């Protein structure tokens, strides 16, 4: 089986989207009250952080010469 390269930007985006889902799941279960537009800053902030993470990762990989993640 071929291994895929690790992409931290996608990990960050997934964590923030999972957090947004968990916030609304808690609201639906009646554990707490969540304002209707709470997902907007949570998801937007997560996507911005994911973009920054992906850009930093790409810069590090370019500098090392490991663009595909498999070494030089």
């Amino acid at each position: 089986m071929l291994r895929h390269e690790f992409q931290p930007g996608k990990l960050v985006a997934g964590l923030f989207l999972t957090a947004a889902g968990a916030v609304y799941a808690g609201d639906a279960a009646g554990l707490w009250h969540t304002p209707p537009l709470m997902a907007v800053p949570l998801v937007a902030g997560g996507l911005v952080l994911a973009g920054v993470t992906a850009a930093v990762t790409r810069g590090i990989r370019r500098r090392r010469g490991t663009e595909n993640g498999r070494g030089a």
Side-chain angles (χ1 to χ4, degrees):
M1 183 167 115
L2 294 176
R3 293 184 55 124
H4 65 280
E5 68 177 312
F6 177 62
Q7 298 178 347
K10 288 185 179 183
L11 175 66
V12 171
L15 288 174
F16 273 86
L17 291 173
T18 301
V23 166
Y24 281 107
D27 184 31
L31 298 175
W32 56 76
H33 174 70
T34 305
L37 294 177
M38 182 65 173
V40 174
L42 187 60
V43 171
L47 290 176
V48 167
L49 262 159
V52 169
T53 303
V56 168
T57 302
R58 182 177 169 103
I60 290 171
R61 287 183 178 165
R62 274 190 164 189
R63 181 168 286 198
R64 289 185 182 172
T66 58
E67 185 66 33
N68 64 0
R70 290 184 173 75

